[in-house]
Amino acid sequence: MDLVIMAAGMGSRFGGLKQIEPIDEFGNFIIDYSVYDAVKYGFDRVVFIIKEENYDIFRSTIGKRIGNRIEVEYVFQGGLDVFPQRAKPWGTAHAILCCKDVVKDNFAIINADDFYGEDAFRQVSQYMKFLDKNSNDYAVVAYHAQNTLSENGSAKRGICEAENGFLTRIVESSVEKIGDKILATPLSGGQTFEVDKNQTVSMNMFAFTPGLFKFLEDGLNKFLDDNKENLEKCEYLIPEVIQNLIDEQNESVKVVDTSAVWYGMTYKEDKEKVVESIKKLVDSGIYKKGLWNK
């Protein structure tokens, strides 16, 4: 099983390359904890999707730390000839498509700057171990909304609707706790609505088989055509691809529930909470002190 880590985005709201922001006394990043959990639950390779200019710093930091624990590959998310002057990455679906010549096994995807928690990796690995790689059976790891909130502002979450354990709709939204309410505003411009604290939401942790790449490749041309007037800012996003798979291809996407609690650095002010929370998990014995120390 491969773990694909999307790390090509710059943290504009955080103010820098937050993927390599140390969050413990040993200089480990959030990514280190994700890889640690992945190794524990049977993943045997990690594929980093990065900007080419960040290759040296990734290889000399986390790559160096984990190289003797798990196979490591690097994939560069570059631009597209249709709009070569664009600096911003083309979105999560395009990032995953960049892996098509490298990833040949079942794989899970995650964001580099989100802490997903041990239970999330336990649940997704259990699903993937019995997944036929020749199938088009996919899954989304679903968190409870109350476990995914920043104390410092809104964050993007995919509001999940399901039936009989399978995803029917995913609405990418800006989610924020205001007072005692959790409010979600669809990024498409829809009306703000209230969600229950246990509403399932996506944190961009999905499980796929290699069959996804053909759908991504076929869909990219349509995406570019549909957005030809907005090529500077449009993004080819994996939640929208998932919705298309459900609506147009009649594919099934299993909802895999997790009790894990998210930590992340959407804002600079989030770092203190992340550091404190990780330290508590280390002190409780869930993570080894130093992670990669012998």
Side-chain angles (χ1 to χ4, degrees):
M1 299 185 297
D2 290 345
L3 177 65
V4 174
I5 301 182
M6 299 179 289
M10 294 290 286
S12 57
R13 285 183 291 181
F14 183 79
L17 195 61
K18 57 184 175 178
Q19 294 93 336
I20 55 171
E21 183 75 13
I23 48 88
D24 67 18
E25 61 184 298
F26 297 92
N28 291 313
F29 314 143
I30 285 178
I31 314 175
D32 285 276
Y33 285 85
S34 293
V35 175
Y36 184 90
D37 284 333
V39 171
K40 181 176 181 178
Y41 288 104
F43 288 82
D44 47 30
R45 185 170 68 154
V46 59
V47 180
F48 291 110
I49 305 172
I50 60 175
K51 288 184 176 180
E52 187 171 2
E53 58 262 37
N54 293 331
Y55 171 67
D56 287 339
I57 194 166
F58 267 84
R59 185 185 60 176
S60 63
T61 53
I62 183 170
K64 184 178 180 180
R65 290 196 290 269
I66 69 174
N68 63 344
R69 305 299 179 97
I70 189 171
E71 183 181 348
V72 181
E73 293 278 357
Y74 297 91
V75 171
F76 301 140
Q77 183 178 12
L80 293 171
D81 292 341
V82 67
F83 198 82
Q85 64 267 41
R86 172 171 162 149
K88 182 179 181 180
W90 283 90
T92 51
H94 174 254
I96 297 165
L97 181 56
C98 293
C99 296
K100 70 182 179 68
D101 294 328
V102 174
V103 175
K104 305 298 181 183
D105 200 355
N106 295 337
F107 64 102
I109 67 165
I110 61 171
N111 299 327
D113 50 1
D114 288 314
F115 174 88
Y116 287 87
E118 181 189 31
D119 184 68
F121 283 92
R122 179 190 298 114
Q123 301 300 338
V124 78
S125 67
Q126 287 177 356
Y127 172 81
M128 292 175 66
K129 284 175 182 176
F130 300 99
L131 189 59
D132 181 354
K133 73 176 184 179
N134 295 312
S135 73
N136 290 329
D137 295 330
Y138 308 135
V140 57
V141 177
Y143 286 71
H144 299 171
Q146 66 178 345
N147 291 339
T148 70
L149 301 175
S150 169
E151 297 175 353
N152 299 296
S154 62
K156 292 180 183 178
R157 304 288 180 257
I159 307 299
C160 297
E161 297 178 11
E163 186 175 327
N164 298 321
F166 290 90
L167 191 68
T168 58
R169 190 165 180 250
I170 183 167
V171 181
E172 281 294 282
S173 303
S174 175
V175 179
E176 184 174 9
K177 186 173 183 180
I178 299 178
D180 59 353
K181 294 182 178 181
I182 301 175
L183 301 179
T185 304
L187 300 184
S188 62
Q191 191 166 2
T192 298
F193 59 96
E194 185 177 354
V195 299
D196 183 81
K197 64 181 182 179
N198 289 315
Q199 167 69 48
T200 53
V201 302
S202 164
M203 293 286 307
N204 261 2
M205 189 180 202
F206 293 93
F208 296 116
T209 64
L212 177 73
F213 293 117
K214 185 179 187 309
F215 190 82
L216 290 176
E217 204 160 26
D218 292 344
L220 179 59
N221 289 332
K222 183 178 184 303
F223 165 80
L224 293 173
D225 187 59
D226 290 344
N227 292 276
K228 56 189 174 185
E229 303 301 325
N230 187 34
L231 292 178
E232 186 175 357
K233 295 183 178 180
C234 64
E235 291 185 82
Y236 190 34
L237 300 174
I238 197 63
E240 295 175 4
V241 169
I242 292 293
Q243 192 65 58
N244 289 339
L245 280 166
I246 295 169
D247 295 341
E248 299 175 11
Q249 304 295 315
N250 201 30
E251 300 290 2
S252 297
V253 179
K254 179 73 173 176
V255 176
V256 177
D257 189 78
T258 180
S259 61
V261 177
W262 164 87
Y263 304 113
M265 293 189 291
T266 305
Y267 305 92
K268 275 189 175 293
E269 294 80 5
D270 290 332
K271 182 177 178 179
E272 183 177 351
K273 174 70 177 293
V274 172
V275 171
E276 291 176 356
S277 299
I278 295 296
K279 186 177 186 303
K280 288 179 181 178
L281 292 172
V282 172
D283 290 344
S284 68
I286 293 176
Y287 294 101
K288 179 182 176 182
K289 191 171 184 179
L291 286 186
W292 310 114
N293 294 342
K294 293 182 180 180

